[in-house]
Amino acid sequence: MVSYIIRRLLIAIPVIIGVTIFNFIIINLAPGNPVEMFIDPNTSADMIELRKEQLGLNDPMWQQYLHWMGNLLQGNLGFSYTTNDPVVDVLLARIGPTFLLMGLALIVGLTIAIPLGILSAKKQYSFLDYTTMGVSFFGISIPGFFLGLGLIYIFGLTLNWLPSGGMFTLGKEGDLLDRIKHLVLPVMVLSIYVAGTNIRYVRASMLEVFGQDYLRTARAKGLKEYVVTNKHAFRNALIPIITIIGIEVPALLGGAVITEQIFQWPGMGQLTIQSIMSRDYPTLMAINFMAAIMVLSANLITDIVYSVADPRIKYD
Amino acid sequence: MKKSLRFLLACMSIFALLALAACSNSTPDSSKEKETTTKTTASGDKIMYVGIMTPPTQLNPINARELNTQILSSILFESLFDLNENFEFLPKLADSMETEDNINFTVNLNKDAKWTDGEPFTTEDVLFTLKTMANPEVTSLGLQPLSVIEGLEANGTLAAGATEIAGVKVVDEHTFTVTTKVATDINYLKEKLGVDIRFLPEHVLKDEDPVNLHQSEFMRNPNVTNGAFTFVKLEADQYVEFAANKEYYRGTPKLEKIFFKVLPSTNLVAQLQTGEVHINHPGVGPIATDDLERVKNMSNVTLLNGHALYSQVVYVNLDTVSNEKARQALVQAMNRDLIIEQVQQGLAEPSDGPYPTGHPYSNKEKVYSYDPEAAKALLEEAGWDFGKVLNFAVPTGNKAREQAATVIAENLKAIGVQVEINKYDLPTVVQKGAAKEFDLLMLGLPFTLDPDLSAYYATGAPYNFSGYSNPKVDELFAQGKAEADVAKRQDIYSEVSSILQQDLPIIHLYALTSPGVVSNKVVNAKPTDFGMFYNIHEWDLTE
């Protein structure tokens, strides 16, 4: 297992290099450049040239990439072109809110999806099953931005129960209840998506296991039904679900981009959109680099959890 | 592998995920946050909330690239003068600027002005700031508009090797003189030197490396300032917090704190209604046109209309639409009144010529009106190729502008001109403009009080996307810049206006007014595009 993890980490290095090269090319191919973005109409052409020179934008692309990589190896992600803050500080300030949002959405979503999926499978073709499937279909198919705007309209503007955006009320940074209120709507949007997709996987996976011989054996041994369902069946059904969740974590990051934008949630999503709009290359590269690491670690963690859920799986 | 080891690893990985999720609560700032909370709640009552839409990225006073940074940093770092909404100059760090020959100018600073660390604000700070901005190595907006000053190159930098600006001399601690290369309108200097430039504390920054000045700790957390409020915190995308500068030279502010709150425009109106926001800034916190009716019906706020200042224009590529008559036909085909009424909800005025109707140099005669029949006739006369499809580049992000572009495209189709709208984000549109990859290109132009528009019309100028080149216009712009007499300047720019209205390299559609909304609890503050913060130390709230 340990050697497997080390092997996986070593494979991750060329993958990350590949991803960053690819991103670097794409970012540089986008029309417009950061210098033209900052410039006031009165700036002379040679001033623009000078700024480009200072930022190294006139160097060939491969040289710029090597420069970036060289800095990265020394732990330096550079300075943001728009705020002039070190990119590390910019990212650190944004990662927390995003993980909070994603983490909660995952927890809430799975807390809804797992029991409902199991119940739905147990009572296949019942009213409960149909209702659950209907709700899950809604969760998968409704676009996040639409749901978000709808929730803002209902709970924020019409009923005035919940704040419509931001992380906390200004001047109330320490108020826990206030922070929770601000979390409700964005977490709801993301967790409805998580729940929607996972209910179906849990249900399908459980149904498959229910048909297996070993469950009949377990029942024949006289085991109680909840032990059969929750221990024997669920454990086996869990394996494909873990894979799905592993894939979902990065997808959730994508969903958070839009959700954060709608709810003015100051996380990675908003930062990404702004960096794209202002062609802030160093920040964009850092975001992509981080996203690559997140995807790879989510996969690795999935594999580890996998082997715990199913001791038959060995990586050695 | 042992089961226990597997379990341990699994626990560790889950823990890692949870730890990542939890670290949001322990970001480095959390302890600081707590501190500010107690302070805010303790001082309680006099806190004003100002609504803005676009978040400022930084508060660097010499490199404010977007309007928001310019506006917010001007509260911390003052200028010599301020402009009020009627375009009059009001004294701030300077008491006066005087000249007898329009070549030598004397500026007297306010003797009471001082930095928040107690040091006086002096001519040394002025000189230091100007030299820093003129240094090509320093990342700043530069002094291009001040290239009329003796000793500065045409692009506003110091010549290689020079360390002093020949035209700026210190007389004493509170007096300095400026010498220009040619006679210059004093209002030009009052705007470009007096209003646009904000000053840095020499005693704090003199040892900083100029090359990395923009990335210095001071620029990120400006802690020595000279405005009525001091900087507390900039939380990206959320808010900027300012606290009263009790030692402010023009009087102790009445408010304890001011928060600039970043909100989407729908929330802005909702929060004005609930009282969570007291006032908007019309320039960076505009009220969406769709919400105006709602605001008018709210009893706790007052709606104010501003001047029509911000031009929406269509650049015409002169290589592809080379016939002047064809361009005149395009203007007459555009139903600007309809756009103003329907899309802009009446919050705009049609502009004829390069100076918007709210501009002091605007010549208010009407040149073109909506007349599709005349447009068609002109096109025929120009021998227009009706098979040609015009590529109309439109920036995304401003819904009203995108809708206006659709109306324009329909208008043009009605007279037989084929148009294809292509929408891009702003940087792409700017690049397409510079590379002349368009036939028509829509853009909003910023307002400048000075009538010099050579950046858009002079031969080879950076924002001259149309490729316009008219020696007469180039000459008039040069003359206008060097003319000190206001009446003569007016004549020069009127002539520029009428030439440009004939040649039409850029079609000026209309100028937008930005409405302001202010809560009835607010005392002394008024949302205006210019000079809104001049009396910020007198702003107050009633119960």
Side-chain angles (χ1 to χ4, degrees):
Chain A
M1 186 76 177
V2 174
S3 72
Y4 171 77
I5 293 173
I6 292 171
R7 223 164 44 231
R8 282 283 297 261
L9 290 176
L10 287 178
I11 294 171
I13 294 171
V15 173
I16 285 179
I17 292 176
V19 168
T20 54
I21 291 180
F22 189 69
N23 278 321
F24 195 84
I25 293 172
I26 289 194
I27 289 170
N28 277 279
L29 283 181
N33 72 56
V35 173
E36 277 163 11
M37 275 314 289
F38 325 147
I39 295 294
D40 154 290
N42 286 310
T43 315
S44 62
D46 49 341
M47 189 60 101
I48 295 177
E49 268 313 295
L50 181 76
R51 294 282 172 262
K52 278 191 185 167
E53 198 60 53
Q54 281 172 339
L55 294 176
L57 294 172
N58 288 339
D59 297 339
M61 214 191 282
W62 62 268
Q63 215 170 322
Q64 290 184 46
Y65 176 78
L66 286 184
H67 184 72
W68 180 82
M69 204 26 141
N71 280 337
L72 178 71
L73 290 177
Q74 295 163 31
N76 176 6
L77 285 167
F79 286 84
S80 156
Y81 287 166
T82 48
T83 64
N84 290 316
D85 288 331
V87 171
V88 178
D89 291 1
V90 177
L91 283 188
L92 280 180
R94 305 297 190 117
I95 279 177
T98 292
F99 276 125
L100 181 69
L101 198 61
M102 279 173 54
L104 280 176
L106 209 58
I107 293 168
V108 173
L110 291 178
T111 316
I112 299 169
I114 292 174
L116 271 183
I118 295 175
L119 262 179
S120 209
K122 279 203 71 130
K123 309 213 153 100
Q124 202 188 2
Y125 304 132
S126 67
F127 176 71
L128 177 100
D129 184 29
Y130 286 125
T131 320
T132 313
M133 282 305 99
V135 170
S136 107
F137 189 67
F138 170 83
I140 299 169
S141 48
I142 191 164
F145 71 88
F146 183 76
L147 184 62
L149 291 176
L151 290 176
I152 290 180
Y153 182 75
I154 297 169
F155 294 103
L157 297 180
T158 313
L159 297 173
N160 217 351
W161 288 353
L162 291 166
S164 50
M167 257 175 69
F168 50 82
T169 308
L170 293 185
K172 284 194 187 169
E173 289 96 320
D175 185 342
L176 189 66
L177 185 70
D178 179 68
R179 289 206 175 225
I180 293 172
K181 277 187 181 170
H182 280 84
L183 270 167
V184 175
L185 292 183
V187 167
M188 214 195 274
V189 170
L190 285 176
S191 52
I192 283 177
Y193 169 77
V194 173
T197 29
N198 286 301
I199 286 175
R200 301 179 88 82
Y201 290 123
V202 174
R203 178 178 177 271
S205 198
M206 286 298 280
L207 280 177
E208 199 176 310
V209 175
F210 277 148
Q212 304 285 330
D213 289 343
Y214 61 83
L215 278 200
R216 210 171 303 135
T217 315
R219 286 206 184 92
K221 279 197 300 186
L223 287 177
K224 284 192 183 116
E225 188 56 27
Y226 81 84
V227 179
V228 174
T229 313
N230 297 336
K231 197 150 184 222
H232 293 247
F234 182 62
R235 181 150 190 169
N236 286 291
L238 197 58
I239 294 155
I241 298 169
I242 290 171
T243 322
I244 300 288
I245 295 170
I247 295 167
E248 263 171 18
V249 170
L252 203 54
L253 189 69
V257 171
I258 294 163
T259 311
E260 285 178 8
Q261 193 71 11
I262 293 170
F263 289 99
Q264 294 284 300
W265 189 263
M268 300 288 294
Q270 277 214 42
L271 181 68
T272 311
I273 302 240
Q274 279 158 15
S275 312
I276 292 172
M277 296 308 279
S278 56
R279 305 290 190 263
D280 189 347
Y281 298 164
T283 311
L284 272 176
M285 281 306 289
I287 292 171
N288 286 323
F289 175 67
M290 231 195 55
I293 288 181
M294 268 187 57
V295 173
L296 290 171
S297 19
N299 285 341
L300 182 61
I301 293 173
T302 310
D303 287 347
I304 296 168
V305 176
Y306 213 88
S307 78
V308 175
D310 184 355
R312 286 168 302 177
I313 296 168
K314 287 210 167 61
Y315 294 115
D316 302 311
Chain B
M1 188 161 101
K2 282 241 173 70
K3 205 178 171 182
S4 57
L5 179 61
R6 270 176 210 269
F7 186 70
L8 185 70
L9 272 170
C11 284
M12 276 166 61
S13 18
I14 290 169
F15 179 75
L17 265 183
L18 287 178
L20 283 173
C23 72
S24 53
N25 281 332
S26 57
T27 41
D29 278 343
S30 65
S31 56
K32 228 191 284 170
E33 266 171 34
K34 271 191 199 114
E35 223 171 88
T36 41
T37 319
T38 41
K39 257 192 258 161
T40 331
T41 39
S43 58
D45 41 1
K46 302 266 174 169
I47 302 173
M48 183 108 101
Y49 294 92
V50 186
I52 56 176
M53 254 178 70
T54 31
T57 49
Q58 50 175 359
L59 291 166
N60 181 335
I62 63 164
N63 192 33
R65 293 186 303 246
E66 80 282 276
L67 190 59
N68 212 322
T69 300
Q70 274 165 31
I71 288 170
L72 294 193
S73 65
S74 77
I75 297 173
L76 299 174
F77 298 94
E78 296 208 333
S79 46
L80 298 176
F81 299 95
D82 206 347
L83 261 183
N84 69 9
E85 53 176 333
N86 302 317
F87 306 119
E88 293 152 345
F89 292 96
L90 307 169
K92 236 174 170 180
L93 287 175
D95 287 333
S96 65
M97 181 190 279
E98 277 146 19
T99 181
E100 275 166 14
D101 52 5
N102 286 94
I103 291 201
N104 295 295
F105 299 81
T106 308
V107 182
N108 291 299
L109 300 183
N110 186 322
K111 294 195 172 77
D112 299 327
K114 61 182 173 206
W115 297 99
T116 47
D117 61 358
E119 291 289 316
F121 171 79
T122 68
T123 42
E124 288 302 326
D125 296 312
V126 174
L127 206 64
F128 172 76
T129 306
L130 294 179
K131 281 197 293 199
T132 304
M133 291 180 76
N135 181 347
E137 295 278 292
V138 173
T139 300
S140 82
L141 287 179
L143 290 177
Q144 217 265 330
L146 284 175
S147 57
V148 288
I149 294 178
E150 195 68 59
L152 290 176
E153 304 277 287
N155 62 12
T157 57
L158 278 166
T163 53
E164 297 297 323
I165 305 173
V168 183
K169 293 239 156 52
V170 166
V171 178
D172 62 42
E173 247 197 352
H174 300 290
T175 317
F176 70 95
T177 60
V178 174
T179 312
T180 54
K181 295 171 193 162
V182 287
T184 304
D185 179 0
I186 189 164
N187 288 330
Y188 182 87
L189 267 198
K190 275 193 176 170
E191 187 193 4
K192 302 295 179 193
L193 173 66
V195 177
D196 292 351
I197 307 256
R198 293 184 300 276
F199 300 96
L200 298 170
E202 195 231 2
H203 63 283
V204 177
L205 296 174
K206 59 175 186 280
D207 298 323
E208 282 285 342
D209 173 15
V211 178
N212 296 325
L213 184 63
H214 63 296
Q215 295 167 345
S216 68
E217 184 55 34
F218 179 84
M219 292 304 183
R220 298 167 54 207
N221 292 302
N223 56 355
V224 178
T225 56
N226 55 21
F229 284 81
T230 58
F231 175 71
V232 180
K233 197 170 177 195
L234 188 167
E235 194 70 46
D237 294 343
Q238 299 180 71
Y239 64 91
V240 187
E241 181 181 349
F242 293 131
N245 171 9
K246 300 252 171 357
E247 306 295 313
Y248 183 57
Y249 68 100
R250 293 195 295 151
T252 306
K254 296 200 164 80
L255 296 172
E256 311 266 349
K257 282 199 169 187
I258 295 185
F259 281 94
F260 284 81
K261 207 170 172 179
V262 180
L263 303 153
S265 70
T266 42
N267 297 22
L268 177 59
V269 171
Q271 298 208 358
L272 277 160
Q273 189 168 15
T274 57
E276 291 167 86
V277 168
H278 294 114
I279 190 170
N280 75 322
H281 187 291
V284 290
I287 305 291
T289 41
D290 296 344
D291 288 324
L292 281 171
E293 272 310 309
R294 214 172 130 201
V295 174
K296 279 182 200 152
N297 293 327
M298 282 157 40
S299 57
N300 62 329
V301 298
T302 310
L303 175 72
L304 300 160
N305 258 352
H307 290 285
L309 299 178
Y310 304 98
S311 294
Q312 290 295 334
V313 306
V314 174
Y315 278 85
V316 186
N317 187 341
L318 300 186
D319 295 336
T320 57
V321 188
S322 53
N323 192 306
E324 184 184 297
K325 287 207 174 97
R327 295 195 294 274
Q328 290 168 359
L330 296 183
V331 191
Q332 293 183 49
M334 295 176 189
N335 193 343
R336 292 182 285 168
D337 293 328
L338 179 85
I339 297 175
I340 291 170
E341 203 182 300
Q342 302 281 325
V343 180
Q344 301 293 348
Q345 305 276 327
L347 284 175
E349 289 172 26
S351 47
D352 276 303
Y355 302 108
T357 46
H359 197 285
Y361 280 79
S362 166
N363 59 345
K364 296 187 165 69
E365 86 191 84
K366 201 166 168 66
V367 190
Y368 299 104
S369 45
Y370 175 58
D371 190 346
E373 289 310 314
K376 237 182 215 165
L378 265 176
L379 274 186
E380 302 280 356
E381 221 178 294
W384 182 259
D385 169 13
F386 288 92
K388 177 160 149 174
V389 180
L390 295 182
N391 163 7
F392 188 13
V394 178
T396 51
N398 177 340
K399 277 279 159 272
R401 180 162 57 204
E402 289 176 49
Q403 285 168 10
T406 315
V407 176
I408 290 170
E410 289 304 319
N411 287 161
L412 295 181
K413 276 176 199 155
I415 59 160
V417 176
Q418 307 295 314
V419 179
E420 186 190 75
I421 294 184
N422 290 300
K423 293 185 182 175
Y424 310 100
D425 68 344
L426 191 64
T428 311
V429 170
V430 171
Q431 202 209 28
K432 297 238 173 232
K436 296 210 180 7
E437 288 165 8
F438 68 95
D439 298 311
L440 303 174
L441 180 146
M442 203 164 178
L443 211 59
L445 302 187
F447 173 83
T448 50
L449 178 59
D450 189 78
D452 180 38
L453 294 181
S454 47
Y456 309 100
Y457 294 101
T459 308
Y463 266 64
N464 183 352
F465 299 157
S466 309
Y468 185 59
S469 174
N470 183 339
K472 178 72 187 164
V473 171
D474 290 352
E475 193 196 311
L476 285 170
F477 275 129
Q479 263 179 36
K481 213 170 171 178
E483 181 56 63
D485 186 289
V486 177
K488 282 186 191 152
R489 282 193 96 193
Q490 201 96 42
D491 291 342
I492 293 170
Y493 291 109
S494 286
E495 197 180 342
V496 168
S497 252
S498 46
I499 296 175
L500 293 178
Q501 247 344 61
Q502 282 305 306
D503 291 355
L504 285 173
I506 299 176
I507 297 172
H508 284 256
L509 299 167
Y510 43 83
L512 302 174
T513 57
S514 27
V517 180
V518 55
S519 154
N520 302 336
K521 281 185 181 174
V522 170
V523 181
N524 287 335
K526 198 174 142 193
T528 56
D529 289 290
F530 287 90
M532 177 161 163
F533 301 128
Y534 183 72
N535 65 342
I536 195 168
H537 59 292
E538 291 167 347
W539 286 14
D540 207 348
L541 286 169
T542 55
E543 272 319 301

